[in-house]
Amino acid sequence: MSNYSTNGSRKIRISNSDDDSRETRFSIQPRNSHKTKEERYRDKEKERDHERHHDRERRDDRYRKVDSRDHRDRNRRSPAGSRTYCRDEPDRRRNNHSDRNRRDRSSERDRDNRSSKSKTKSPDSLRSKSSRKSQTPNHLPDDGKLFDRILDPNYKKKEKTVMEVEDVEMSPVEMLDEEEVSTFTFDDACGPVRPSNEPEEKDYKSEGDPESRPATPKTPLTPDYLENTIVSLNETLSDDEDKGPDDKYGKTPDKEQWESMTENEQKLHRDAMKKRREQRHREAVSKLPVYYPGLRGCQHISEYVILNVIAEGTYGEVFRGKNTRTDEVVALKRFKMEKEKEGFPITALREINMLLKAGAHENIVNVKEILVGSTKTEVYMAMEYVEHDVKSLIDKMRSRNQRFKTGQQKTLMSQLLSGIEHMHKLWILHRDLKTSNLLISHSGILKIADFGLAREYGEARDIEKRMKLTPIVVTLWYRSPELLLEPKTYSTPVDMWSIGCIMAEFIMMKPMFQGDSEPNQVHQIFQMMGTPTEQIWPDIKELKVWNMVEFPPVKPGQLRRIFKGEKLVNETGFDLLNGMLCLNPANRLTASEALQHDWFSEHPKAVPPEDLPVYPAKSELNAAPPENRRKNRLEALLADEEPERAALLRQFNVKAEQLKPSGFQLRG
Amino acid sequence: MASFVEMRKLAEAKVQNMIRTIVKPKEQNGNVEPKKEEDEKFESTYKQNENTQITPSSFGKRPLYSKVDINCDKWLMTLDEESRLKIDNPPSLVDGLSKETESELRYLGCELIQQGAILLKLPQTAAATGQILFQRYYYQKSFVRYHFEHAVQACLLLASKIEEEPRRPREVYNVFHRLERLHRLQQSGHDINKETTRGMKPPAVDMNYINTKQHMINSERRILATLGFVVHVKHPHRLIVAYGHTLGITQSRPDILQRSWNYMNDGLRTDIFMRYKPETIACACIFLAARTVENPIALPSTPFHWFEAFDTSDRDVEAIALQLVGLYARRTFPNWPRIKAELDALRSVKDAEMKAVKAKEIAENLAKMAPDGEKSTSTVTIGKDSRKVSPDRKNGTKDRGEADRGKKEKDRHRRRSNDRDGRGDRRDRDKDRGDRRKDEKKDRRKRTRSRSRDRKDKNRNRDVGKRYRKESSTPPRSRR
């Protein structure tokens, strides 16, 4: 027991340090916030006329969090808050500075602001800021959940409805695609039904506009929102269609009726019958039980058939595979198990844990399953198959002298930032963001892949000390300056710098910093961004390389000259890029801040994902021809031979030409 | 005679062109056979109801499940009805183990993991993770068939990796060895102090270590596959502090937090972590601690209990509290040697049954072989022909791809045979000491085989070519 008590006491001490900050946060919130939340909750209930979907719930959650943040800011600015909690002062100053930055965008004023920043800030305040930032996301979702449950008396009933919706949505994506196609053909086929649909469509549009206005006054049209509208449109169309055919085509006609019908009517009946079959299939599948690998173990790899190899490398092999029961195409990644001295490799285990923990997000590659071979030394990870990676896409567009339009840039950046925001909220660092690790599907959905270097980072200083994160991470071209100068610890700003480089690559169609070695990389960064000073970046003293090497002083402004001089971006876009490529990691934008930037709400707005350029995937080009062709060839060759010989040749699967005379002779 | 000559010509042509087609379907069939039984079991239960409505896939199969949910928090055993039944009837009982001994084994395993984590200087979260993995594993597998000593070491190794504090198998082995000795000292009636433990030294790197390490690594892989690689555990440690803060206990009553913390750590030896969410367990620990501390306090219970704000029901809280209280009714530590003897007895019974079954199968095969002598000879000849087939290097990439797949399948066969031999060896070792020397020789042979496996693909190609050349030399001899 003594051992337990010592461990417990140590951990309690760690928790005590957290309690102080937590007290301040909880006490800052006034009681009135409950009422306001109740009112908003009721308003949102009224707005929800249509069925609820996961995407809408996600959107609502985001906006709730935004509202709660506004409340906190207001509370902090109040005089009572300033008197009792002096720790909040640096946050205020920072907020004011950021506001000024956004308002005044001239270079001279930027310099003045930077100098003013350096005067006011001290290293202690910077550390406290970073620690507070890392702590905030942990509490928000819990509070949100608690309030939702308390305010909602019918929580249990709604939970059931949510489950039902989940089952429906889990049907394979291909089925949905077929639905869309079939609905359009149905519209084209049946002419007389069109006039009845038109007014209802208009009604939906008129209804949709007021919904979008209060919910998203400033935020851009994110792909989530667009998909919601598409899904709802399909639903309304399908509802309209169902009413008509229910009367006429709801039942399968008899033979006599069938013969008397015209061809058009027969087609309509066939379409209706197909839909009914598909619906029955989906309902029957949804009634089947759910398979939990955590309870029943891994399935065998024989559940999938391997079609072809997508990629090979030091990290392992990736195949394209097909599920034998659902015809779903997935990417099968095989883990290398050559070094078995230490047991299962920790890198593979870490990657699996990070991906399972990241869970289901639209812009992150989802893990479907983990499969085992005949011997348990073979382990495969089944992920959703995404056709392209962004690097090859950019290369092809560059070879054709094409560029991303501003709307396309916004679509890509918003998807990337929402994925990274999701990861950072779950305390996961990616640490290897680059264009070759970003996948993009035919429908234009961007997905973050390759969690081989992903890591869970700590929330308190003690934990950070214990977990020593290696500085040699991230590909060289996308490595942040603090990583290149060997820090002791680092955090989410590392990923934000990589995203800044990726944004620049979307704009210029080539990587911005292409260093061939670490010193060269640092040199290029300082040439572009200006050499940092202790005024701009006070913590730079603690970096190893900074104290060892003297860098020639370079004035900032090259970045602006390149982007603004050649008119690659407007002022707002440059502001976002500059915010993500800020040299001081403490001042760099976070993922949530970047998502709320004005650039995404300006004109031209983000393009729907389907409008992004699409090319045939590499794996599809290299696909092997089907086996039927080989059989046909063999049979064609065998047609000329005698039937007896043909049978023998088939049995051994040998061509006639391959026969050779043997020198062997039997002696009587 | 003419047809026979043609057969020979075709066989020679096939050999010369190095096309392998017969070998693959056999291997594929062999691979698929064990899975068919399982598939049939699943399909039989669902085909009756949904067979007609579900459209089969292009491979002619129907889905058995609506989806595969591999989220990192989908491992509680109350999600599935079958798993819920396993908690009350773990698979060890089917093999003849009594329920009391089974619970003793669980307690012993968890205790060893906790002590091992302390000696390895792992954080408490790693100890908790290891114990939970151990419990989950033995609700899916039997203690009789899978040695718990290997699982304990494997869980420690795995937990250290999961919690980002990796330890080496050598260190885990040393710690386990020391714990074993300490327990023997205690059982023999000695006290544990500096004098009695002065003679203990880390074990040398000998055959015992090498065998144990291999068992540890194999057990680790088996655990990962059995738990579906869903091994991330969310612990109630942080929740206890958070809930304590909302209740206002953190500063005024730190003793309650400490006691609830202790309850949670001790609760890892029970099955509450298999049944309830971490939020529920945290509430129950605080509830119990508030009542059993020196100066108990009454937490708010009107109009609703305080824990209902955290989505916890009073039934669950009471059930967990009862289990935790029952944990302290135990007064004696499990008797490791006695339990081990009981397990060995059950294993010997199992081995005897297996041998009897094998003997019957052999007798049946012999009976079948006698009347069908001619057919058996013909099959043997076909087998010989198939062996001569070797990969074709001259053909294009398509054939190479096929050859690669064939190689993998061959490797699988070898590994299977090796695994079977390994199992037999383990059983033999437990029985006779005299056979240890023979076992050592076998182990050496295995190592050479395993080393040969690790060679690169180039070496494999060369080896295959060599075999082909050797085999190709036999026909002219027979001709002569």
Side-chain angles (χ1 to χ4, degrees), chain A residues 1 3-5 7-9 11-12 15-16 19-20 22-23 26 146 149 170 280-281 284-300 302-303 305-307 317 319 322-327 337 340-344 346 349-350 352-353 356-357 359 367-370 372 374-380 455-456 459 466-467 625 630 645 648-649 652-654 658-660 662 664 666, chain B residues 1 6-8 10 12-14 16-17 19 21 31 35 39 42-43 46 50 53-55 57-59 61-72 74-77 79-80 82-83 111 114 118 123-125 136 140 157-158 161-162 164-166 168-169 213 217 220-222 224-232 238 241-242 245 250-251 258 261 266 269 309-311 398 402 405 408 412 415-416 419:
Chain A
M1 291 302 293
N3 289 321
Y4 301 144
S5 63
N7 288 330
S9 62
K11 291 181 179 177
I12 286 175
S15 63
N16 286 331
D19 291 338
D20 296 338
R22 289 178 185 176
E23 282 182 356
F26 284 117
L146 288 178
R149 289 173 183 173
M170 287 307 296
R280 271 187 240 126
H281 176 80
V285 169
S286 66
K287 287 178 182 176
L288 294 172
V290 178
Y291 188 88
Y292 294 109
L295 297 171
R296 301 195 182 202
C298 296
Q299 294 195 84
H300 197 263
S302 61
E303 293 283 321
V305 171
I306 291 175
L307 303 176
E317 290 170 314
F319 308 93
K322 202 174 194 182
N323 193 319
T324 56
R325 298 184 185 279
T326 60
D327 282 336
M337 305 282 288
E340 300 174 357
K341 296 178 181 177
E342 302 286 330
F344 195 81
I346 189 172
L349 191 64
R350 187 184 290 149
I352 292 169
N353 276 334
L356 294 184
K357 197 185 178 190
V367 177
K368 302 266 181 179
E369 246 186 296
I370 294 178
V372 171
S374 302
T375 332
K376 293 189 173 176
T377 53
E378 290 185 17
V379 179
Y380 297 82
R455 195 63 177 271
E456 192 176 4
E459 61 182 26
R466 196 181 74 190
M467 296 178 67
R630 294 177 186 172
R645 276 209 165 188
L648 288 174
L649 291 169
F652 287 98
N653 198 10
V654 172
Q658 292 170 346
L659 286 175
K660 293 180 181 179
S662 63
F664 174 74
L666 285 176
Chain B
M1 291 301 292
E6 286 183 358
M7 291 280 288
R8 273 205 175 184
L10 292 174
E12 288 172 3
K14 188 173 183 182
Q16 288 174 3
N17 289 293
I19 296 167
T21 51
N31 289 332
K35 283 293 173 179
D39 291 344
F42 283 120
E43 286 179 0
Y46 299 118
E50 275 94 21
Q53 292 183 2
I54 295 175
T55 311
S57 66
S58 60
F59 300 94
K61 292 187 179 180
R62 289 186 168 81
L64 305 175
Y65 305 100
S66 56
K67 63 174 179 175
V68 178
D69 196 338
I70 199 170
N71 206 358
C72 68
K74 290 291 192 297
W75 57 267
L76 287 182
M77 297 187 76
L79 290 170
D80 206 332
E82 288 187 16
S83 301
E111 189 66 29
Q114 177 69 49
I118 291 167
Q124 181 60 30
T125 50
R136 282 176 62 195
Q140 308 290 339
L157 186 68
L158 190 54
K161 292 175 181 174
I162 292 166
E164 297 293 342
E165 297 274 346
R168 293 182 180 177
K213 180 185 173 185
I217 290 169
E220 186 196 27
R221 281 194 217 122
R222 199 176 292 116
L224 282 167
T226 303
L227 303 183
F229 285 85
V230 183
V231 290
H232 176 79
R238 295 179 182 178
V241 177
H245 179 78
T250 309
Q251 289 187 345
Q258 177 66 54
W261 193 278
D266 293 342
R269 290 144 180 87
F310 304 110
D311 200 33
K398 304 171 186 177
E402 292 176 358
R405 291 180 185 176
K408 293 179 183 177
R412 291 175 187 174
R415 291 171 188 172
R416 280 186 175 179
D419 288 344

Side-chain angles (χ1 to χ4, degrees), chain A residues 5 97 116 132 258 331 385 388 413 444 516 523-524 601 604:
Chain A
S5 63
H97 287 300
S116 63
R132 287 178 187 176
W258 183 265
Y385 177 67
H388 307 278
M413 283 303 298
D516 52 0
H523 179 71
Q524 288 194 18
S601 58

Side-chain angles (χ1 to χ4, degrees), chain A residues 4 7 11, chain B residues 75 109-118 122-136 155-156 158-160 162-163 227 231-237 261 263-270 273-274:
Chain A
Y4 301 144
N7 288 330
K11 291 181 179 177
Chain B
W75 57 267
C110 290
E111 189 66 29
L112 289 173
I113 290 170
Q114 177 69 49
Q115 294 176 4
I118 291 167
L122 288 172
Q124 181 60 30
T125 50
T129 299
Q131 293 176 59
I132 288 170
L133 296 179
F134 179 81
Q135 295 261 23
R136 282 176 62 195
C155 286
L156 274 170
L158 190 54
S160 67
I162 292 166
E163 298 296 331
L227 303 183
V231 290
H232 176 79
V233 178
K234 182 184 176 185
H235 297 295
H237 296 75
W261 193 278
Y263 277 137
M264 182 188 58
N265 284 332
D266 293 342
L268 291 163
R269 290 144 180 87
T270 66
F273 283 85
M274 311 296 132

Side-chain angles (χ1 to χ4, degrees), chain A residues 261-277:
Chain A
M261 287 177 182
T262 60
E263 290 183 359
N264 286 330
E265 286 180 354
Q266 286 180 2
K267 285 183 182 178
L268 294 177
H269 273 285
R270 284 171 189 164
D271 293 341
M273 289 164 71
K274 276 188 180 179
K275 284 185 183 178
R276 270 183 257 126
R277 284 179 201 162

Side-chain angles (χ1 to χ4, degrees), chain A residues 352-585:
Chain A
I352 292 169
N353 276 334
M354 289 298 114
L355 275 163
L356 294 184
K357 197 185 178 190
H361 189 270
E362 190 190 17
N363 299 119
I364 293 172
V365 174
N366 293 317
V367 177
K368 302 266 181 179
E369 246 186 296
I370 294 178
L371 304 140
V372 171
S374 302
T375 332
K376 293 189 173 176
T377 53
E378 290 185 17
V379 179
Y380 297 82
M381 181 162 64
M383 298 178 283
E384 55 182 333
Y385 177 67
V386 188
E387 292 84 4
H388 307 278
D389 63 299
V390 173
K391 185 177 183 182
S392 59
L393 180 64
I394 288 175
D395 289 342
K396 286 181 181 176
M397 290 179 71
R398 194 195 326 151
S399 65
R400 303 184 185 187
N401 287 324
Q402 293 179 359
R403 281 177 176 270
F404 285 121
K405 299 174 182 175
T406 306
Q408 292 171 340
Q409 291 169 11
K410 293 181 182 181
T411 303
L412 291 167
M413 283 303 298
S414 61
Q415 295 189 71
L416 175 56
L417 286 166
S418 75
I420 291 297
E421 185 190 24
H422 177 74
M423 288 173 63
H424 288 177
K425 283 180 180 174
L426 294 171
W427 304 97
I428 295 173
L429 288 176
H430 190 278
R431 301 199 306 179
D432 198 14
L433 286 170
K434 53 184 176 179
T435 47
S436 57
N437 283 345
L438 302 178
L439 307 181
I440 187 162
S441 63
H442 280 319
S443 56
I445 305 297
L446 182 136
K447 290 183 185 286
I448 300 161
D450 196 343
F451 279 60
L453 285 175
R455 195 63 177 271
E456 192 176 4
Y457 65 99
E459 61 182 26
R461 294 177 186 176
D462 296 336
I463 297 173
E464 282 180 6
K465 287 178 182 176
R466 196 181 74 190
M467 296 178 67
K468 296 180 179 178
L469 300 172
T470 55
I472 309 173
V473 290
V474 188
T475 306
L476 185 62
W477 292 358
Y478 303 87
R479 203 176 292 178
S480 63
E482 68 264 23
L483 280 175
L484 292 160
L485 301 175
E486 292 191 22
K488 293 177 180 176
T489 59
Y490 53 88
S491 184
T492 52
V494 162
D495 282 338
M496 296 310 296
W497 175 274
S498 302
I499 293 173
C501 296
I502 290 167
M503 181 179 179
E505 193 166 347
F506 287 156
I507 296 168
M508 297 196 297
M509 302 305 288
K510 65 175 180 177
M512 187 161 71
F513 305 115
Q514 303 187 36
D516 52 0
S517 65
E518 291 184 6
N520 190 357
Q521 184 74 16
V522 175
H523 179 71
Q524 288 194 18
I525 289 173
F526 288 172
Q527 284 288 325
M528 179 73 68
M529 311 299 299
T531 306
T533 60
E534 292 183 1
Q535 295 176 350
I536 294 171
W537 187 352
D539 286 341
I540 200 166
K541 306 167 190 171
E542 301 178 0
L543 304 179
K544 255 189 182 182
V545 179
W546 177 259
N547 296 320
M548 295 164 55
V549 181
E550 286 189 2
F551 296 95
V554 179
K555 291 184 178 179
Q558 184 67 12
L559 187 73
R560 174 174 286 274
R561 271 176 232 130
I562 286 177
F563 282 89
K564 291 293 294 178
E566 299 181 8
K567 298 183 180 178
L568 296 173
V569 252
N570 61 358
E571 191 66 30
T572 316
F574 179 77
D575 185 60
L576 174 62
L577 184 67
N578 201 27
M580 289 193 288
L581 293 176
C582 181
L583 286 175
N584 188 352

